[in-house]
């Protein structure tokens, strides 16, 4: 996903922009650029390059080669127009007086481009963004804000914009619609950024722009307007997590660091919400009467968050006996979902900015549902549009492949299931107490699993050459296998699929041949015998089986599987929280041995804010 940074102050802008962009690299990109106001009458100094940010930084001598105290920067994840210098942002108007950086998609850019070309405006790039710069200039008659406002009335789509004008070298303009943009309030300087990590070294005072907001920044202050151009005041929020939380801290990769951080992240997620054998959610959006009126729970998410929902379905239905549906957000939007005022919709999103999930939220609200969200990024769009948000408190997650984000979401869904189950009197106090006592022990057990990671590394060293790896499991083990499979394919680029073991005989067993590598997830006790028989089934066809199971089943599993990955015994509903850790490590070590770019996998972005 693209990254935006803007600075207006009394220091050289370019080094600050480049440093800020470096903190957004984790979002995934394929080119980068900056535009700086060189001073009154000096025009805009625009520099951009395809490839890594390092290419641009070396070109600009770390920013020293560019003068000026007002600027915008961008890392581009190509949507319209291939990665190239000319398609990189900032995009400029024909006179080069207007420069724009953009995150999102201009849906009517083709007609706007045609309109402007009829007026004689020449275009140089293949991007939708260039239309914004050209359209602002088309309306520009000396008042930048007025020109921006007129252009916005003609643009359809999603956008976070940073805008510079050579005629107003002491200010920059920011606009937000359906894409996150943050304002940073500094001392003698002010900022815009796609997320807090880009500006945390300079300020902890931020405001989250809402859809339709326009902001005019100068070094003295920030003036905000709503979509009607009426001045508005923005709430300031103090960001209190540490800068180094978004640093690698000596680890080889952010992903490895974040896998190891999981026990601590779980403690942060659990401890404020569990005491005296019960779950507490502050100001829960549903009263006990409203909870009793819920007739269906709909979990909607994408990617790994969707896999949390697949586990959550088992947990919620077991503890509440309320029917639970799980849907991919990108499908939910277009399936005319059966949702009404008696439906509780749970949106799960680490970033809180996934466009498909945001659109699903709005679709569910339109149909009268209560919206509860489980989110990691504080103040993100999904969090702010929900009736209630449960924050995971995982801390900033930099690696594109989520790990602590996933595992803290998983725990929160379980806490929600216990809370609702107790309210509905479907879970006894004793059951709740026993489950929560085991939950509180989970981080320690997870540390034990992490301590055994050398074994996983060894198994990965025997597996990384495979071109296809299958994950099998039933019930909770199947849901866990979905996430294990996604982790593996998204960072190692090995083809992988997760199958419900019982489904094998309906077709996919034809894929099993001599030497096929199968990861059999067999932790769920009630179906252990079935797991064993499925392993025998694939081994009979030549498969090589790595089996994940609990310590109490290791001996029996060792008798049938080629290798066994043990996890400590725990409550059935907590098995995915423990079992996912070896699968995360397996994916990490396989990708490491294949020399992949683990933190920034090809073609992927940390948060997908486009359809
Ligand atoms: C996670 O490893 C993936 N990179 C991706 O599937 C992610 O889970 C998905 O894009 C949803 O993101 P969200 O949780 O921020 O909404």
């Amino acid at each position: 996903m693209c990254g935006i940074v803007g600075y207006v102050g009394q220091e050289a802008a370019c080094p600050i922009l480049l440093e800020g962009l470096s903190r957004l690299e984790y979002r995934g990109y394929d080119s980068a650029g900056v535009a700086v106001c060189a001073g009154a009458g000096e025009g805009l100094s625009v520099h951009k390059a395809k490839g890594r940010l390092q290419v641009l930084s070396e070109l600009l001598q770390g920013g020293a080669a560019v003068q000026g105290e007002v600027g915008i920067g961008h890392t581009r994840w190509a949507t319209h127009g291939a990665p190239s210098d000319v398609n990189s942002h900032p995009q400029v108007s024909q006179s080069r007086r207007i420069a724009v950086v953009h995150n999102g998609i201009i849906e009517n850019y083709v007609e706007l481009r045609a309109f402007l070309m009829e007026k004689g405006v020449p275009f140089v790039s293949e991007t939708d963004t260039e239309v914004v710069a050209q359209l602002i200039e088309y309306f520009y008659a000396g008042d930048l804000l007025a020109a921006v406002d007129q252009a916005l009335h003609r643009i359809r789509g999603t956008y976070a914009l940073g805008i510079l004008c050579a005629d107003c070298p002491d200010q920059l303009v920011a606009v937000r619609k359906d894409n996150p943009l943050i304002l940073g309030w500094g001392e003698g300087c002010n900022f815009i950024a796609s997320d807090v990590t880009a500006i945390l070294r300079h300020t902890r005072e931020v405001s989250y722009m809402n859809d339709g907001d326009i902001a005019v920044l100068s070094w003295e202050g920030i003036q905000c307007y709503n979509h009607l151009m009426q001045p508005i005041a923005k709430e300031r929020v103090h960001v209190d997590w540490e800068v180094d939380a978004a640093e690698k801290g000596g680890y080889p990769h952010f992903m490895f660091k974040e896998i190891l951080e999981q026990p601590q992240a779980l403690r942060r997620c659990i401890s404020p919400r569990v005491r005296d054998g019960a779950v507490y959610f502050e100001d829960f959006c549903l009263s006990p009467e409203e909870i009793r009126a819920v007739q269906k729970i709909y979990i909607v998410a994408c990617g790994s968050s969707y896999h949390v929902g697949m586990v959550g379905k088992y947990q919620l239905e077991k503890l509440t006996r309320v029917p639970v549906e799980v849907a991919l957000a990108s499908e939910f939007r277009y399936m005319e979902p059966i949702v009404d005022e008696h439906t509780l919709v749970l949106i799960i999103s680490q970033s809180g900015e996934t466009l498909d999930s945001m659109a699903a939220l709005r679709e569910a609200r339109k149909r009268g549902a209560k919206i509860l969200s489980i989110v990691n990024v504080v103040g993100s769009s999904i969090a702010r549009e929900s009736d209630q948000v449960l924050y995971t408190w995982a801390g900033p997650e930099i690696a594109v492949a989520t790990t602590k984000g996933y595992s803290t979401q998983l725990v929160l869904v379980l806490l929600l299931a216990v809370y609702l189950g107790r309210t509905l009197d479907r879970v006894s106090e004793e059951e709740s107490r026993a489950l929560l006592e085991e939950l509180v022990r989970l981080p320690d057990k997870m540390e034990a699993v992490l301590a055994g990671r050398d074994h996983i590394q060894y198994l990965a060293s025997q597996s990384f050459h495979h071109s296809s790896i299958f994950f099998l499991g039933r019930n909770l083990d199947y849901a866990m296998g979905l996430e294990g499979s996604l982790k593996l394919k998204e960072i190692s680029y090995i083809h992988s699929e997760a199958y419900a073991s019982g489904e094998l005989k309906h077709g996919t067993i034809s894929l099993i041949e001599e030497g096929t590598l199968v990861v059999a997830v067999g932790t769920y006790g009630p179906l252990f015998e079935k797991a064993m028989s499925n392993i025998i089934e694939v081994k009979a066809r030549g498969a090589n089986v790595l089996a994940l199971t609990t310590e109490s089943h290791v001996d029996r599993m060792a008798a049938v599987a080629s290798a066994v990955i043990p996890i400590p015994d725990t409550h059935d509903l907590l098995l995915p929280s423990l079992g996912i850790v070896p699968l995360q490590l397996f994916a990490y070590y396989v990708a490491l041995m294949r020399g992949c770019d683990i933190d920034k996998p090809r073609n992927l972005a940390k948060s997908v804010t486009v359809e």
Side-chain angles (χ1 to χ4, degrees), residues 275-502:
R275 59 178 180 275
D276 307 330
V279 176
Y280 293 87
F281 289 133
E282 275 179 45
D283 313 321
F284 195 66
C285 62
L286 293 176
S287 66
E289 294 70 35
E290 287 170 319
I291 290 173
R292 283 190 276 275
V294 169
Q295 293 170 2
K296 177 162 76 171
I297 298 171
Y298 228 129
I299 303 176
V300 187
C302 302
S304 293
S305 294
Y306 168 75
H307 296 155
V308 169
M310 291 295 281
V311 174
K313 171 181 170 63
Y314 292 108
Q315 296 169 330
L316 283 160
E317 287 192 338
K318 184 159 181 71
L319 296 181
T320 67
R321 307 314 295 160
V322 172
V324 177
E325 285 200 51
V326 190
L328 289 167
S330 52
E331 292 293 311
F332 180 84
R333 305 171 62 182
Y334 304 111
M335 63 200 277
E336 295 184 33
I338 300 173
V339 169
D340 62 22
E341 66 279 10
H342 296 303
T343 311
L344 173 60
V345 170
L346 175 59
I347 305 288
I348 304 176
S349 175
Q350 186 282 133
S351 65
E353 298 298 348
T354 300
L355 191 98
D356 284 326
S357 303
M358 170 59 87
L361 183 157
R362 291 171 177 167
E363 179 66 28
R365 182 176 301 295
K366 212 165 58 182
R367 295 170 181 267
K370 269 279 192 212
I371 311 293
L372 177 59
S373 62
I374 288 179
V375 172
N376 185 34
V377 177
V378 175
S380 53
S381 306
I382 288 172
R384 288 183 294 125
E385 289 204 17
S386 303
D387 293 305
Q388 163 124 32
V389 56
L390 299 176
Y391 283 119
T392 59
W393 305 127
E397 186 175 66
I398 307 302
V400 166
T402 183
T403 49
K404 65 177 183 175
Y406 171 89
S407 49
T408 49
Q409 287 169 343
L410 214 46
V411 159
L412 257 181
V413 172
L414 180 88
L415 289 171
L416 177 65
V418 172
Y419 180 82
L420 297 176
R422 287 288 295 134
T423 307
L424 296 168
D425 205 18
R426 303 261 164 72
V427 176
S428 71
E429 186 184 344
E430 294 69 30
E431 282 177 290
S432 165
R433 185 177 296 278
L435 176 49
L436 294 176
E437 281 170 1
E438 184 58 20
L439 177 66
V440 168
R441 286 192 285 268
L442 190 66
D444 292 345
K445 291 191 173 184
M446 195 178 268
E447 271 163 357
V449 173
L450 290 166
R453 56 184 179 269
D454 290 352
H455 175 53
I456 308 291
Q457 186 168 15
Y458 168 73
L459 293 177
S461 70
Q462 309 297 305
S463 312
F464 73 95
H465 56 284
H466 281 269
S467 58
S468 187
I469 298 177
F470 291 85
F471 286 72
L472 299 182
R474 289 174 184 257
N475 198 285
L476 288 164
D477 285 333
Y478 165 57
M480 190 200 314
L482 287 169
E483 177 58 12
S485 173
L486 175 60
K487 285 278 96 46
L488 180 71
K489 51 190 155 185
E490 67 177 329
I491 64 171
S492 72
Y493 313 147
I494 291 177
H495 172 263
S496 170
E497 290 303 328
Y499 287 101
S501 308

Side-chain angles (χ1 to χ4, degrees), residues 48-70:
K48 44 192 189 176
K50 179 184 171 185
R52 286 287 181 231
L53 183 62
Q54 189 59 28
V55 173
L56 180 69
S57 186
E58 284 168 4
L59 199 64
L60 304 180
Q61 296 152 38
V66 183
Q67 306 308 313
E69 291 80 35
V70 180

Side-chain angles (χ1 to χ4, degrees), residues 64-373:
V66 183
Q67 306 308 313
E69 291 80 35
V70 180
I72 50 179
H74 189 263
T75 48
R76 177 178 184 245
W77 189 62
T79 51
H80 295 70
S84 67
D85 292 357
V86 74
N87 287 335
S88 308
H89 299 197
Q91 287 293 318
V92 297
S93 61
Q94 59 175 320
S95 71
R96 301 182 68 80
R97 277 189 306 176
I98 308 277
V100 172
V101 291
H102 169 223
N103 187 8
I105 288 180
I106 307 300
E107 291 177 355
N108 62 335
Y109 85 99
V110 172
E111 58 193 88
L112 290 173
R113 184 185 175 108
F115 164 75
L116 290 164
M117 290 177 79
E118 272 173 26
K119 304 288 182 185
V121 176
F123 280 79
V124 297
S125 81
E126 303 163 290
T127 67
D128 55 336
T129 305
E130 185 182 355
V131 160
V132 179
Q134 301 285 19
L135 196 60
I136 292 171
E137 176 153 288
Y138 176 77
F139 290 113
Y140 180 67
D143 181 339
L144 177 62
L145 197 53
V148 170
D149 183 42
Q150 287 179 282
L152 294 179
H153 279 89
R154 286 157 182 79
I155 287 170
R156 278 200 327 274
T158 65
Y159 43 83
L161 297 172
I163 304 160
L164 285 187
C165 176
D167 298 350
C168 344
D170 56 357
Q171 69 179 217
L172 72 84
V173 175
V175 186
R176 183 218 193 273
K177 179 179 175 294
D178 291 328
N179 262 271
L181 202 56
I182 284 165
L183 302 173
W185 306 77
E187 295 294 326
C189 59
N190 291 298
F191 303 80
I192 62 172
S194 298
D195 77 43
V196 174
T197 47
I199 57 173
L200 202 54
R201 281 182 179 283
H202 306 286
T203 180
R204 291 179 176 279
E205 301 304 312
V206 301
S207 298
Y208 298 96
M209 294 182 77
N210 292 317
D211 280 358
D213 286 0
I214 299 174
V216 180
L217 291 81
S218 68
W219 69 268
E220 294 110 327
I222 304 176
Q223 176 55 58
C224 295
Y225 305 86
N226 63 18
H227 66 290
L228 301 173
M229 294 307 283
Q230 297 159 334
I232 54 173
K234 292 301 286 181
E235 181 199 1
R236 291 192 195 191
V237 174
H238 181 80
V239 177
D240 54 14
W241 42 262
E242 289 313 309
V243 171
D244 64 7
E247 301 275 347
K248 235 185 281 191
Y251 290 97
H253 299 98
F254 278 111
M255 183 178 178
F256 188 63
K257 175 187 174 208
E258 288 152 9
I259 288 173
L260 298 184
E261 279 178 346
Q262 290 182 109
Q264 200 48 30
L266 257 58
R267 291 185 183 102
R268 283 199 302 270
C269 180
I270 296 166
S271 58
R273 297 166 166 132
V274 173
R275 59 178 180 275
D276 307 330
V279 176
Y280 293 87
F281 289 133
E282 275 179 45
D283 313 321
F284 195 66
C285 62
L286 293 176
S287 66
E289 294 70 35
E290 287 170 319
I291 290 173
R292 283 190 276 275
V294 169
Q295 293 170 2
K296 177 162 76 171
I297 298 171
Y298 228 129
I299 303 176
V300 187
C302 302
S304 293
S305 294
Y306 168 75
H307 296 155
V308 169
M310 291 295 281
V311 174
K313 171 181 170 63
Y314 292 108
Q315 296 169 330
L316 283 160
E317 287 192 338
K318 184 159 181 71
L319 296 181
T320 67
R321 307 314 295 160
V322 172
V324 177
E325 285 200 51
V326 190
L328 289 167
S330 52
E331 292 293 311
F332 180 84
R333 305 171 62 182
Y334 304 111
M335 63 200 277
E336 295 184 33
I338 300 173
V339 169
D340 62 22
E341 66 279 10
H342 296 303
T343 311
L344 173 60
V345 170
L346 175 59
I347 305 288
I348 304 176
S349 175
Q350 186 282 133
S351 65
E353 298 298 348
T354 300
L355 191 98
D356 284 326
S357 303
M358 170 59 87
L361 183 157
R362 291 171 177 167
E363 179 66 28
R365 182 176 301 295
K366 212 165 58 182
R367 295 170 181 267
K370 269 279 192 212
I371 311 293
L372 177 59
S373 62

